[in-house]
Structure formats: structure tokens, C-alpha cells
Amino acid sequence: MKKTYFGRLLTAMVTPFNADGSINYEAGADFADWLLANGSDGLVVEGSTGEAATMDMDEKIKFMQNIVARVNGRAKIVAGAGTNCTASTIDLVKKMEACGVDGVLVVGPYYNKPTQEGYYQHFAAVAKATKLPIIVYNVPGRTGGNIAPETVARLAADFSNIVAIKEAAGNVAQTAELYRVLPEDFSIYSGDDGLILPFLSVGACGLISVLANVNGNILQQLMQAYSEGRVKDAADLNKVMVPLAKAMFIESNPIPIKAAVTKVTGIEAGAPRLPLTPISAAAEAKLDAALKAAGMIK
């Protein structure tokens, strides 16, 4: 596995909330410390797992400044900075750049359903507006559209600061095609914990992870085993990891992972903001069973 600009394992970090729904900035900083001590090479802050969709701009800036200050250069920080409006995305990217982040994760515009040319022009406009490294985020299940490998290759060829993709289409064949058409130094990150092993086999270099909010170490061990050619060891770790990864999606992300963070780390993550709701009793029982089976809680 080749080295990456951002590191092998980036955690899509949850945003801790207080009981009244306000952001718990101190808990956020403490959680960043916990993540870096427990397997994370870097952090993706204010992505979909971080509930950026329900944060206002003042909150986004204050929370990001808080995380950047606490991390203090110890790891790369990537800001979730995508919207479904190109002008708004550029504005957000510039604000995140001013916060001192190391890169931005820009999702394909959701709801609008652009053509492939529309995707190209959107990312081109963002790339021209910043010097920050950009990770293209392809997640058709949330956006309603797929960014084709040819479009990503075109962007990589035309813009030196488009350096990576978070590929969350759940399609191993598409990931293989990305590896075929992209430059050698372009980083392909899996956007699905449960698919990291097959994605590694066709050219992915790392993972942007939900599960790493509570267990980055197992993912690091799995990727290390694969990189050293210990494929059987990687497969055995995968057997343990996949049920955990699935448990984090028994209800809409980040409902289960926020509950898991509180249970595993002792840092109170709080409930998600509406329109998401706290984890149901039935789902919590399944989550607890998975965490207990993995020895993560008693």
C-alpha cells in the first residue's frame, strides 16, 4: 500500500452535542485527542457523520477552529465542505481554509443530479478557488448521482490540487476502474468500512471511516496485515470487523455511531439533531450485542 498525503485511516468524526442540542466544543476537542490515540491517522471533521447538514456557519467555523487548535499539527485535518450549490461550496471551502485545515472533502452535489459535465464544472470551480488539496466524495446513496471514473480522471489530469477520492458507491468494479484510469499518486479511499479489504485488492490506499470513531485499531491492523502480504490475517480481522461496521448502520448514520462513541470512549457524544432521532431501543440492543461480542463494552 502506498503512502497518502492524508494518511491511511481518516476518521469521519462525530460532533458531540450537549443535552440541549448545542455543540459541546470541549468534548469535541477531547474526542479528537482520543481518536489520534486510538488508530486515526487524520480526521475528517464536519462531514455527514459530523452532522454538518444541521450546523450553521458560525458553529462550523467555531468547531473547526477548536479542533485545529487542539490537534495543533499532530495530524491532518480535512474539512467537510460540500454543498449542492457551487457558489456556497466555494464560500465554505474558503472559510475552512481560513480555519487552517489541511484539505477539504467535497461531496458531489446532492438533489440537483448533475450531468457528468456538471460534476466536472462544479469540482473545477472549487479547485480554481482554493490551494487546498481536495478529496472528491462520491456517495450516490446520499446524493442521487454517481461521479463516473472518467470524470474523476479528467479532474485529476486538469487540477493538481484534486488529489483523492472517497469512493462510497459500494462497487468494487468501479473502484478497480478508478485505479486503472487515475494517476499513480492519486489516492483512492474506501468510503465503506465493510468494503475496505476488497477495495484494497483493486487499488484503494486507505479508508475514510465511521467505525474508527470507536475502533480505529482493528482497521489499522487489517490494512497493515494486507500491506505486508498477510492476506489470511487480514481476512480473519475482516471477519471481526464487518459485523461491527454493519452495526454502525442499523439506523441512519450517525445515529448508531454517536451512541457507540458514548458507550466505548466515555466521551458524551449526545443525541443527533433533528431530523435524525436518538437510537431506538431495538437498535441499541443490537448495537450493544455487537460491541460486547467484540469485547469493546461489558
Side-chain angles (χ1 to χ4, degrees):
M1 290 168 59
K2 62 186 178 183
K3 290 184 178 180
T4 70
Y5 180 84
F6 297 107
R8 182 165 63 185
L9 180 63
L10 301 178
T11 300
M13 176 182 172
V14 305
T15 301
F17 294 146
N18 294 306
D20 64 0
S22 61
I23 293 177
N24 189 330
Y25 294 96
E26 187 65 21
D30 290 344
F31 187 46
D33 282 336
W34 188 92
L35 290 170
L36 296 184
N38 287 274
S40 299
D41 296 320
L43 306 176
V44 174
V45 185
E46 298 174 9
S48 51
T49 305
E51 297 180 79
T54 57
M55 296 168 67
D56 66 34
M57 188 61 75
D58 289 342
E59 288 176 325
K60 288 180 180 180
I61 292 170
K62 183 177 178 180
F63 189 72
M64 191 63 71
Q65 290 172 333
N66 181 59
I67 299 300
V68 169
R70 177 64 72 90
V71 171
N72 194 27
R74 290 177 292 148
K76 300 289 187 184
I77 297 176
V78 177
T83 77
N84 67 334
C85 168
T86 304
S88 296
T89 299
I90 289 170
D91 179 63
L92 180 54
V93 166
K94 289 181 175 179
K95 285 180 167 65
M96 293 298 101
E97 188 170 7
C99 289
V101 303
D102 300 290
V104 286
L105 177 72
V106 179
V107 70
Y110 41 88
Y111 190 79
N112 314 62
K113 299 182 77 172
T115 62
Q116 292 304 310
E117 184 62 23
Y119 284 127
Y120 175 86
Q121 294 296 341
H122 174 79
F123 284 101
V126 175
K128 291 173 184 175
T130 183
K131 294 180 180 178
L132 285 175
I134 296 168
I135 305 175
V136 174
Y137 182 15
N138 186 39
V139 57
R142 284 187 179 267
T143 65
N146 182 56
I147 307 172
E150 313 87 77
T151 303
V152 182
R154 185 180 169 201
L155 288 164
D158 292 349
F159 300 98
S160 61
N161 60 333
I162 297 181
V163 300
I165 184 168
K166 178 183 178 183
E167 178 53 50
N171 186 328
V172 176
Q174 179 158 291
T175 303
E177 179 65 6
L178 284 166
Y179 185 71
R180 188 184 74 82
V181 299
L182 286 167
E184 179 64 26
D185 60 352
F186 195 95
S187 298
I188 302 169
Y189 288 96
S190 172
D192 296 291
D193 293 300
L195 290 176
I196 181 56
L197 188 53
F199 272 33
L200 289 174
S201 73
V202 294
C205 65
L207 173 65
I208 298 178
S209 171
V210 172
L211 178 60
N213 278 282
V214 292
N215 198 337
N217 290 323
I218 192 171
L219 293 162
Q220 286 282 16
Q221 292 163 13
L222 189 161
M223 288 188 282
Q224 186 65 28
Y226 185 84
S227 71
E228 293 174 356
R230 295 184 287 111
V231 178
K232 174 66 163 53
D233 290 344
D236 288 342
L237 286 162
N238 197 60
K239 286 197 298 186
V240 178
M241 183 275 292
V242 168
L244 274 174
K246 288 182 176 179
M248 301 309 147
F249 289 87
I250 50 178
E251 291 183 338
S252 296
N253 182 46
I255 294 172
I257 193 63
K258 291 201 85 172
V261 166
T262 300
K263 293 172 186 291
V264 172
T265 72
I267 296 170
E268 178 60 56
R273 285 178 171 173
L274 287 171
L276 299 182
T277 52
I279 192 167
S280 68
E284 186 172 18
K286 293 177 181 178
L287 176 65
D288 286 349
L291 293 173
K292 287 176 182 177
M296 295 171 62
I297 63 172
K298 294 182 179 179

